[in-house]
Amino acid sequence: MDDKVFIKQFLKKALKEDVGKGDYTSLAIVKRSSVSCANLLVKEPCILAGLSILKTIFFEIDKSAYIELFYKDGDYCEGRNNVAARIRANTLKLLKVERLVLNILQRMSGIATKTAQFVEKVKGTKAKILDTRKTTPLFRYFEKKAVQIGGGQNHRFGLFDMILIKDNHIAYAGSIEKAIDNIHNFLKKKKLNLKIEIEAKSLECVKKIINKGGIDIIMLDNFTIEETKKAVEIINEKYLIESSGGINLSNVRDYALCGVDFISVGELTHSVKAIDMSLKIVNV
């Protein structure tokens, strides 16, 4: 889906949830013809993300809006009440989307900042930082976009764009071998061409996967550093390797130095701290 089309659909649903029958407070106080300027203030250090979306939302809500950006997505901001953007728009419409825009930018910037910290930790290795599906329902688009802005890469977007055989699938199929066979039969029947990743819970699982073959990526789930080193040696570059589970800023470089290709981190999206920002009207 086109980005602008998605944002337009999201905006409609978000405003229905937030505004409902009307922003009665603003309607009671503000003249319909009023035009105001507002500054987007950043109050703590961060990697900014979501500024391009801010522009899209304001232009969608007010075709005559004027937006001036002083930073771009991916820029570092010191966060000392820096003005990241200035918006001139109809006052009622500005107030209508104020909280929505802040919610998006604060969370996206938090994710981009956290992602950049992980990316910095693995610098000089071949490991790429990946996100996961541990995202906020219906907000995944923005969260995964923020990961990209922070220098990370997106894993699969959803259940439809990649095969990921996990422990529950293997348990249901009865074995690693049967799970892989079922996947290939399904893809052939449906005429689908998707990458296949499979989760390994132990070194013994890794050996079974290699013996069976027919996959692209092996995910080492909750492996220790020593187990990861052994797995990398066993796989011997036959398949791409992803480390996942229990990985944080204090140990991510150790995993990267094992020689894995990818490191997936749920923390990037599921428990990130939003960046402190505000949107302040500076004249009426």
Side-chain angles (χ1 to χ4, degrees):
M1 182 185 294
D2 179 79
D3 286 4
K4 288 186 177 180
V5 172
F6 173 84
I7 294 171
K8 186 174 182 178
Q9 292 179 354
F10 171 85
L11 180 60
K12 184 177 180 180
K13 293 176 182 177
L15 290 179
K16 183 177 181 180
E17 174 187 64
D18 196 32
V19 179
K21 294 181 179 179
D23 174 7
Y24 294 144
T25 310
S26 296
L27 288 169
I29 295 171
V30 179
K31 293 180 180 179
R32 293 183 183 276
S33 60
S34 172
V35 174
S36 298
C37 285
N39 287 337
L40 174 66
L41 303 177
V42 183
K43 300 180 178 182
E44 60 182 309
C46 68
I47 301 297
L48 288 166
L51 291 170
S52 60
I53 292 167
L54 174 148
K55 288 187 71 173
T56 301
I57 288 176
F58 270 106
F59 284 140
E60 185 64 36
I61 202 75
D62 184 355
K63 303 298 183 187
S64 62
Y66 173 77
I67 296 99
E68 186 176 8
L69 299 181
F70 301 105
Y71 295 83
K72 64 181 184 299
D73 286 335
D75 281 351
Y76 173 76
C77 180
E78 291 181 344
R80 299 175 180 174
N81 278 323
N82 300 71
V83 179
R86 181 168 292 130
I87 303 102
R88 185 178 186 275
N90 176 274
T91 309
L92 283 173
K93 292 179 179 179
L94 194 158
L95 293 170
K96 185 177 183 179
V97 296
E98 171 195 4
R99 186 70 261 165
L100 174 62
V101 167
L102 284 171
N103 286 344
I104 293 172
L105 266 73
Q106 288 179 275
R107 185 157 180 80
M108 284 187 69
S109 296
I111 291 169
T113 302
K114 178 65 73 174
T115 302
Q117 292 170 355
F118 274 91
V119 170
E120 180 64 26
K121 286 284 187 179
V122 302
K123 188 176 287 186
T125 74
K126 69 174 181 177
K128 306 297 181 186
I129 299 296
L130 302 179
D131 54 23
T132 70
R133 284 173 50 246
K134 295 176 182 177
T135 54
T136 309
L138 304 181
F139 205 74
R140 183 175 296 178
Y141 168 90
F142 300 105
E143 293 176 338
K144 284 186 171 282
K145 181 78 72 176
V147 168
Q148 292 177 341
I149 292 169
Q153 295 183 8
N154 296 147
H155 199 254
R156 53 180 179 165
F157 188 86
L159 294 170
F160 55 87
D161 56 351
M162 181 180 174
I163 298 295
L164 178 49
I165 307 170
K166 303 196 76 175
D167 55 348
N168 285 334
H169 301 116
I170 294 169
Y172 187 85
S175 69
I176 286 170
E177 295 80 4
K178 288 180 180 178
I180 293 174
D181 284 339
N182 288 347
I183 289 298
H184 280 281
N185 291 336
F186 177 83
L187 293 178
K188 184 177 180 180
K189 181 180 178 180
K190 297 295 183 178
K191 297 180 181 180
L192 294 171
N193 182 24
L194 298 174
K195 284 190 176 181
I196 302 172
E197 181 170 2
I198 186 167
E199 182 180 81
K201 289 289 188 181
S202 66
L203 290 171
E204 186 61 33
C205 289
V206 170
K207 293 174 184 176
K208 288 182 180 180
I209 292 166
I210 292 173
N211 287 336
K212 177 61 179 175
I215 52 90
D216 301 292
I217 307 167
I218 299 175
M219 177 196 287
L220 309 178
D221 186 55
N222 283 297
F223 276 43
T224 65
I225 296 296
E226 288 306 313
E227 288 171 337
T228 302
K229 288 178 181 177
K230 290 178 183 177
V232 170
E233 185 178 341
I234 292 168
I235 295 167
N236 194 27
E237 299 185 347
K238 292 185 179 74
Y239 303 102
L240 294 172
I241 306 169
E242 175 186 338
S243 282
S244 180
I247 299 173
N248 51 51
L249 283 171
S250 66
N251 64 17
V252 66
R253 185 163 184 84
D254 293 331
Y255 278 95
L257 290 171
C258 292
V260 300
D261 300 282
F262 307 106
I263 299 174
S264 56
V265 184
E267 180 185 341
L268 298 183
T269 55
H270 73 56
S271 57
V272 73
K273 177 185 176 295
I275 299 299
D276 191 8
M277 298 180 184
S278 63
L279 194 64
K280 296 294 184 183
I281 290 179
V282 291
N283 76 308
V284 179

